[in-house]
Amino acid sequence: MEKINVLFNEEEILKREEEIANSLYEKFQDEEVTFVCTLKGAVFFACDLLKRYKGNAKIEFLRVSSYEGESSTGKINLKLPLKAENINGKNVVVLEDIVDTGYTLSYINNYINEMNPKSLTTCTLLDKKARRMVQIDPDYSGFVIDDLFVIGYGLDYDQKYRNLPYIGVVEK
Ligand code: IMP
Ligand code: MG
């Protein structure tokens, strides 16, 4: 197995998630919030964040994927849609694992806005700000990271490593 360098350990991740959960609760108080977890990468983030969220929460799942290829075209495939009735008129908080070029999050924002939520808030665990191709800034982000390919805690390389309890970088 490859050597993996730890970037954020489980304790650091959970502490940051608790902070974000508390900020979200300050914002929404006792209003109902529908969290939209993007599959598969944000599953670990969504579970741990939601366990720390003190408000009134629902959870929905959405799956999109970028087209495979040498260069990022920004074309997104919708693999598992949301039901409009679960979004219309709701306070929606999107939970993403990582924002890189920004194409995926900007697609998700447009897709959800078409269903007329009451409000739309975006939240990502990791933000590779330097790689942005479209102008989009998540409302909440766990950690801003350099241009590194990271794995673990939901994030994969070829569908592997999602089950690591920390976020790491494969040593070259
Ligand atoms: P974007 O559309 O370029 O912002 O890409 C977002 C998606 O690319 C994420 O939801 C991930 O699935 C994937 N991705 C981007 N960077 C990484 C990484 O460092 N590790 C694992 N997946 C990544
Ligand atoms: Mg993803």
Side-chain angles (χ1 to χ4, degrees):
M1 202 165 165
E2 296 89 340
K3 168 125 177 34
I4 297 164
N5 293 320
V6 178
L7 199 59
F8 302 109
N9 65 32
E10 194 171 20
E11 195 186 340
E12 292 170 299
I13 297 169
L14 295 177
K15 180 171 174 279
R16 188 71 190 107
E17 286 168 347
E18 184 163 5
E19 290 168 2
I20 297 173
N22 289 339
S23 305
L24 287 167
Y25 181 59
E26 266 171 42
K27 175 175 166 131
F28 292 107
Q29 299 284 311
D30 295 326
E31 279 200 57
E32 184 184 282
V33 175
T34 299
F35 287 88
V36 172
C37 168
T38 61
L39 297 174
K40 304 174 188 172
V43 166
F44 293 60
F45 176 42
C47 290
D48 286 333
L49 185 130
L50 279 178
K51 281 185 278 178
R52 287 161 180 80
Y53 183 71
K54 298 186 184 80
N56 180 358
K58 289 186 172 175
I59 184 162
E60 298 295 333
F61 296 92
L62 170 68
R63 184 159 178 221
V64 296
S65 68
S66 321
Y67 281 122
E68 308 286 322
E70 285 287 299
S71 59
S72 180
T73 57
K75 285 187 188 150
I76 311 292
N77 249 332
L78 180 61
K79 297 273 178 75
L80 176 71
L82 293 163
K83 282 194 177 138
E85 72 218 52
N86 293 329
I87 300 299
N88 187 272
K90 310 284 189 185
N91 292 306
V92 173
V93 176
V94 173
L95 299 178
E96 254 289 34
D97 48 357
I98 186 163
V99 182
D100 184 15
T101 61
Y103 288 131
T104 306
L105 188 61
S106 108
Y107 174 93
I108 291 172
N109 269 357
N110 293 337
Y111 173 69
I112 290 179
N113 271 328
E114 278 171 17
M115 296 179 203
N116 296 312
K118 180 176 177 189
S119 67
L120 178 56
T121 303
T122 53
C123 184
T124 185
L125 179 59
L126 299 169
D127 186 352
K128 279 194 215 174
K129 257 194 203 319
R131 296 219 346 132
R132 211 68 101 246
M133 298 295 287
V134 285
Q135 236 226 297
I136 186 160
D137 242 334
D139 298 305
Y140 297 85
S141 84
F143 305 99
V144 173
I145 61 168
D146 292 336
D147 184 6
L148 295 167
F149 195 83
V150 292
I151 50 154
Y153 198 74
L155 291 144
D156 72 304
Y157 174 64
D158 253 356
Q159 299 300 323
K160 285 193 304 187
Y161 304 113
R162 292 194 197 272
N163 57 317
L164 298 177
Y166 52 84
I167 293 164
V169 183
V170 179
E171 200 170 276
K172 292 271 157 63

